[in-house]
């Protein structure tokens, strides 16, 4: 049973709160609002904060006010209002506290009185034009030569049937959860299942500030809906122009599902570098290489100010990657007092507030079957005497091996040292006598996790761990819940309780992976944040799973020797590009459905 106060905020409640702010809260301070902000009922926008209070049952929210212009997230005006909307009777809602330019007031009436009496330090914000001025994303340069465009000279090399995808040796099914977003099922390579499920679980941000709204913000974006806020994609920017675009559907706040046109894309991408290569100029003379061409499945969720680019990438060597890139606008507070302890100044009155990003994935691997064990390989230096010269010492690295028998052993804290090779091991062996496996490799630059002494930490306890491997259980399908956001003090799902020292040898296992980065907004985050450097995730790589690299069987391989005619098409397919790739495809007309049915 879930208490009603844990419910996510609906659009109707936000609308009611907007009416309350305008007709009740703001009506109590007409002189202040008019003279300080030139308030006309349209030029201020508010942004919610979460969680709503300090204890279970609270529904008390700080609303931060901004200029209502393009990119308003970086246009704070210095006013924040705390509203108690816990009652189901809207007439009982009330302002609990008001903050303006570093000072707290009992309510809007006290703020108005202090202003009229000249007891307020007013910091007037220059009125921004509708396009936001510095926050406008309109290009500051004219259109010039077109950027490179990718195309498939002989058409797509992948196929899609409903939600099932085939690409070379890969096959999988994709889906979209309204709360957690993009997810994959039944991932197979060369016909053999590698994973039952790979899915996003949560995206978390914890903010710091010297303003109340900023300092109390802990966004758990799954509660808002990573799938629900998946946005229509723009051809040629969000994905390659000739990608395959797929509509997605979600059911929320409605009796009918909502379709988002072209909100998921699938494409093969030449990454512009070799997957592997060698140029031999010793003994025999030859060149051998393979272009790194991979299949990408992508969706982009816009949750408030942030845009998350979610990718699952399939490589020809049997490796698979899960990756998220963060862009969008930074969140901001009004710059005052000791604000520079909590971020950088981005504009005249704008403090880009320090915050963490954590993303959690569920990776249900089935390597060579359902039953797996977790094995760690690493290195250690050992000292030895040179057998041919005993008076000399050699320091040589050697392989260390350990089977991680229990869930406690397989739970690696966020900043702790983790074995560099950690893999799910099958009960079968390859030709060379090694246990077949898939290795988990994490890319992360995470900031620190919120202290465990925090009253709300249990709700996000998955972020304690960079990796935790548990037994797969039907009653533990997700690492969190949409109800954790609004009652993190009594969480509906506590991930830390999944880890209870059960044996994980030869069991059906799930890996829970956390990746993240620390973001200290800086001047180059204006007008908004770039994806470069803000990309984290994980790789799943075959580790003795095959007898040799399966990409050697790719049709894309290139090989020629010094004795061969490397200009001949039958020797080197690259010599034939003038014939096979000389015609540009027909580019479909540009369309976009992102502004319909808002």
């Amino acid at each position: 049973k879930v208490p009603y106060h844990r419910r996510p905020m609906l659009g109707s409640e936000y609308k009611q709160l907007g009416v309350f702010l305008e007709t009740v809260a703001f009506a109590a301070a007409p002189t202040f609002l008019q003279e300080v902000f030139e308030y006309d009922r349209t030029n201020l926008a508010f942004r919610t904060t979460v969680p709503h209070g300090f204890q279970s049952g609270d529904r008390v929210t700080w609303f931060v006010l901004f200029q209502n212009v393009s990119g308003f997230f970086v246009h704070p005006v210095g006013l924040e209002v705390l509203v108690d909307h816990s009652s189901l009777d809207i007439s009982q809602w009330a302002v609990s506290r008001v903050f303006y330019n570093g000072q707290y007031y009992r309510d809007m009436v006290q703020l108005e009185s202090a202003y009229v009496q000249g007891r307020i330090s007013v910091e007037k914000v220059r009125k921004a034009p509708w396009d936001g001025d510095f926050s406008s994303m309109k290009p500051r340069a004219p259109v010039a030569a077109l950027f490179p465009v990718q195309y498939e000279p002989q058409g797509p090399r992948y196929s899609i049937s409903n939600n099932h995808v085939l690409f070379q040796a890969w096959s999988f099914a994709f889906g979209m959860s309204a709360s957690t977003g993009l997810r994959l099922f039944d991932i197979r390579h060369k016909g053999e299942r590698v994973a039952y499920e790979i899915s996003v679980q949560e995206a978390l941000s914890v903010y710091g500030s010297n303003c109340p709204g900023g300092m109390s913000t802990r966004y758990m974006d799954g509660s808002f809906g990573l799938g629900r806020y998946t946005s229509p994609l723009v051809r040629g920017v969000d994905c390659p122009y000739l990608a395959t675009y797929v509509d997605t559907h979600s059911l929320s706040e409605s009796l009918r599902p909502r379709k988002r046109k072209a909100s998921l894309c699938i494409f093969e991408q030449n990454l512009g570098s070799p997957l592997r290569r060698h140029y031999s100029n010793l003994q025999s003379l030859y060149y051998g290489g393979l272009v790194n061409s991979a299949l990408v499945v992508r969706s982009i969720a816009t949750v408030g100010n942030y845009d998350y680019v979610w990718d699952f990438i399939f490589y020809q060597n049997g490796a698979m990657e899960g990756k998220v890139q963060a862009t969008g606008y930074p969140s901001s507070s009004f710059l005052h007092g000791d604000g520079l302890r909590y971020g950088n100044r981005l504009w005249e009155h704008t403090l880009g507030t320090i915050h963490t990003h954590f993303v959690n994935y569920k990776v249900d691997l089935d390597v060579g079957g359902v039953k797996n064990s977790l094995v760690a390989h690493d290195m250690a230096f050992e000292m030895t005497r040179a057998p041919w010269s005993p008076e000399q010492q050699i320091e040589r690295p050697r392989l260390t091996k350990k089977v991680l028998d229990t869930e406690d052993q397989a739970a690696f804290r966020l900043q702790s040292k983790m074995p560099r090779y950690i893999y799910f091991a099958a009960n079968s062996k390859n030709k060379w006598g090694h246990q077949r496996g898939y290795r988990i490799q994490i890319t992360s630059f995470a900031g620190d996790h919120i202290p465990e002494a925090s009253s709300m930490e249990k709700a996000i306890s998955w972020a304690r761990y960079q990796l935790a491997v548990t037994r797969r259980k039907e009653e533990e399908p997700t690492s969190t819940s949409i109800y954790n956001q609004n009652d993190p003090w009594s969480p509906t799902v506590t991930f830390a309780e999944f880890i209870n020292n059960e044996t994980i040898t030869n069991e059906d296992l799930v890996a829970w992976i956390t990746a993240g980065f620390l973001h200290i907004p800086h001047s180059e985050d204006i007008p908004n944040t770039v994806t470069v450097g803000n990309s984290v995730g994980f790789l799943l790589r075959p580790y003795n799973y095959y007898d040799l690299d399966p990409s050697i069987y790719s049709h894309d391989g290139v090989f020629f020797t010094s004795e061969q005619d490397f200009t001949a098409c039958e020797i080197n397919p690259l010599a034939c590009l003038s014939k096979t790739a000389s015609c540009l495809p027909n580019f479909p007309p540009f369309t976009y459905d992102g502004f319909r049915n808002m």
Side-chain angles (χ1 to χ4, degrees):
K1 293 182 179 180
V2 180
Y4 193 57
H5 65 256
R6 293 186 192 173
R7 68 194 184 280
M9 294 271 285
L10 299 181
S12 56
E13 189 170 356
Y14 282 121
K15 187 174 180 180
Q16 290 162 347
L17 282 161
V19 171
F20 172 83
L21 287 171
E22 182 179 310
T23 61
V24 179
F26 292 171
T31 307
F32 171 80
L33 289 167
Q34 171 59 38
E35 294 185 2
V36 177
F37 304 128
E38 300 178 28
Y39 178 60
D40 62 5
R41 303 182 71 173
T42 65
N43 62 343
L44 291 180
F46 70 85
R47 185 159 188 239
T48 186
T49 59
V50 281
H52 305 288
F54 287 110
Q55 61 187 4
S56 187
D58 281 356
R59 209 168 179 84
V60 184
T61 306
W62 278 104
F63 291 97
V64 184
L65 277 297
F66 300 85
Q67 291 193 68
N68 188 18
V69 296
S70 178
F72 72 88
F73 308 102
V74 289
H75 289 272
V77 298
L79 178 64
E80 303 185 14
V81 181
L82 181 63
V83 178
D84 183 345
H85 53 112
S86 55
S87 174
L88 298 182
D89 180 354
I90 297 175
S91 68
Q92 299 301 309
W93 290 359
V95 172
S96 299
R97 195 75 79 228
V98 174
F99 173 87
Y100 175 70
N101 192 22
Q103 298 296 316
Y104 288 87
Y105 302 89
R106 185 176 61 252
D107 52 26
M108 293 296 286
V109 172
Q110 187 184 37
L111 174 68
E112 173 83 348
S113 175
Y115 175 74
V116 170
Q117 295 172 26
R119 293 186 288 106
I120 286 184
S121 174
V122 172
E123 191 71 46
K124 281 211 170 189
V125 177
R126 184 159 42 90
K127 189 173 182 179
W130 172 243
D131 68 0
D133 188 25
F134 67 88
S135 63
S136 171
M137 292 186 64
K138 186 176 181 180
R140 313 295 202 264
V143 175
L146 185 66
F147 49 80
V149 174
Q150 181 174 312
Y151 70 99
E152 298 140 326
Q154 295 171 324
R157 305 194 302 176
Y158 57 88
S159 64
I160 305 171
S161 176
N162 296 320
N163 71 325
H164 194 254
V165 179
L166 297 175
F167 170 66
Q168 297 186 356
W170 288 102
S171 68
F172 59 89
F174 63 86
M176 183 72 71
S177 162
S179 57
T180 60
L182 189 59
R183 54 187 179 181
L184 306 179
F185 290 97
D186 194 22
I187 300 100
R188 296 173 181 263
H189 191 252
K190 299 185 75 172
E192 189 173 10
R193 178 182 284 171
V194 173
Y196 173 74
E197 175 188 357
I198 300 176
S199 58
V200 181
Q201 294 290 294
E202 183 64 282
L204 166 71
S205 294
V206 176
Y207 282 82
S209 175
N210 64 342
C211 295
M215 74 173 74
S216 58
T217 293
R218 287 94 176 90
Y219 285 125
M220 304 175 205
D221 288 334
S223 172
F224 296 91
L226 293 170
R228 176 186 172 194
Y229 287 110
T230 291
S231 59
L233 300 167
V234 171
R235 283 183 181 270
V237 180
D238 294 333
C239 307
Y241 199 93
L242 293 176
T244 300
Y245 292 84
V246 180
D247 301 339
T248 63
H249 302 77
S250 66
L251 181 64
S252 59
E253 298 193 38
S254 172
L255 295 177
R256 295 181 179 179
R258 179 181 175 188
K259 179 167 75 172
R260 285 175 179 78
K261 295 197 69 175
S263 52
L264 184 147
C265 70
I266 300 172
F267 57 94
E268 185 180 358
Q269 182 176 29
N270 183 332
L271 298 175
S273 62
L275 180 63
R276 50 177 174 76
R277 60 94 72 185
H278 183 65
Y279 162 67
S280 175
N281 59 358
L282 299 173
Q283 309 300 327
S284 56
L285 304 178
Y286 65 87
Y287 171 86
L290 176 65
V291 64
N292 191 3
S293 190
L295 188 79
V296 181
V297 181
R298 173 176 297 165
S299 70
I300 303 179
T302 301
V303 187
N305 56 308
Y306 261 104
D307 296 63
Y308 294 103
V309 182
W310 303 99
D311 285 354
F312 288 123
I313 307 170
F314 297 85
Y315 296 94
Q316 297 190 63
N317 67 326
M320 180 261 174
E321 182 176 8
K323 182 172 72 172
V324 59
Q325 303 171 80
T327 177
Y329 283 97
S331 189
S332 70
S333 289
F334 190 77
L335 180 61
H336 75 93
D338 64 349
L340 294 180
R341 292 186 62 193
Y342 306 98
N344 289 313
R345 183 179 187 176
L346 305 185
W347 215 255
E348 188 176 0
H349 298 287
T350 305
L351 175 69
T353 47
I354 186 172
H355 57 280
T356 59
H357 286 277
F358 291 97
V359 173
N360 189 241
Y361 291 92
K362 179 182 182 180
V363 179
D364 183 356
L365 287 166
D366 290 337
V367 180
V370 172
K371 299 298 179 76
N372 294 143
S373 299
L374 190 68
V375 181
H377 284 183
D378 213 318
M379 62 166 285
F381 275 99
E382 64 179 12
M383 311 305 174
T384 187
R385 296 291 174 182
W388 65 94
S389 184
E391 68 277 7
Q392 301 297 325
Q393 180 175 284
I394 292 177
E395 299 81 21
R396 62 182 176 185
R398 67 173 179 84
L399 178 63
T400 64
K401 303 178 180 180
K402 184 179 181 181
V403 177
L404 304 175
D405 295 310
T406 66
E407 291 178 336
D408 285 16
Q409 291 180 2
F412 295 94
R413 293 283 178 151
L414 189 64
Q415 308 295 0
S416 67
K417 185 178 179 180
M418 191 171 79
R420 267 128 330 179
Y421 278 61
I422 193 162
Y423 66 97
F424 275 42
N427 287 316
S428 55
K429 295 182 178 181
N430 71 359
K431 182 178 179 180
W432 315 114
H434 298 295
Q435 275 186 295
R436 301 171 69 212
Y438 254 81
R439 174 189 172 196
I440 299 171
Q441 182 177 329
I442 302 172
T443 303
S444 180
F445 320 98
D448 294 337
H449 178 52
I450 194 169
E452 288 181 35
S454 166
S455 60
M456 60 157 291
E457 188 277 339
K458 286 200 299 181
I460 51 175
S461 55
W462 53 265
R464 296 178 191 175
Y465 310 97
Q466 53 187 314
L467 173 67
V469 176
T470 64
R471 279 196 193 183
R472 184 187 185 280
K473 297 178 180 177
E474 288 293 323
E475 62 270 24
E476 296 176 350
T478 58
S479 61
T480 185
S481 164
I482 62 172
Y483 303 114
N484 280 18
Q485 174 72 89
N486 290 340
D487 190 359
W489 310 282
S490 301
T492 303
V493 173
T494 302
F495 175 77
E497 295 176 355
F498 291 13
I499 303 166
N500 52 11
N501 214 31
E502 289 183 278
T503 180
I504 56 171
T505 303
N506 196 29
E507 297 285 352
D508 190 1
L509 304 179
V510 175
W512 308 88
I513 297 171
T514 298
F517 63 93
L518 172 66
H519 189 190
I520 306 174
H522 44 88
S523 55
E524 292 81 8
D525 283 306
I526 297 296
N528 75 342
T529 300
V530 300
T531 56
V532 175
N534 294 322
S535 172
V536 296
F538 65 92
L539 281 158
L540 304 175
R541 302 172 59 185
Y543 185 63
N544 292 320
Y545 187 80
Y546 292 107
D547 299 334
L548 79 171
D549 178 8
S551 74
I552 196 65
Y553 298 105
S554 169
H555 298 291
D556 298 339
V558 172
F559 177 84
F560 50 80
T561 71
S562 60
E563 299 172 353
Q564 291 177 299
D565 179 8
F566 47 75
T567 65
C569 295
E570 59 273 16
I571 300 297
N572 175 19
L574 295 176
C576 293
L577 288 181
S578 60
K579 299 177 182 178
T580 58
S582 60
C583 295
L584 283 173
N586 291 320
F587 286 86
F590 183 89
T591 59
Y592 186 62
D593 202 59
F595 303 133
R596 288 188 173 190
N597 304 317
M598 296 299 290

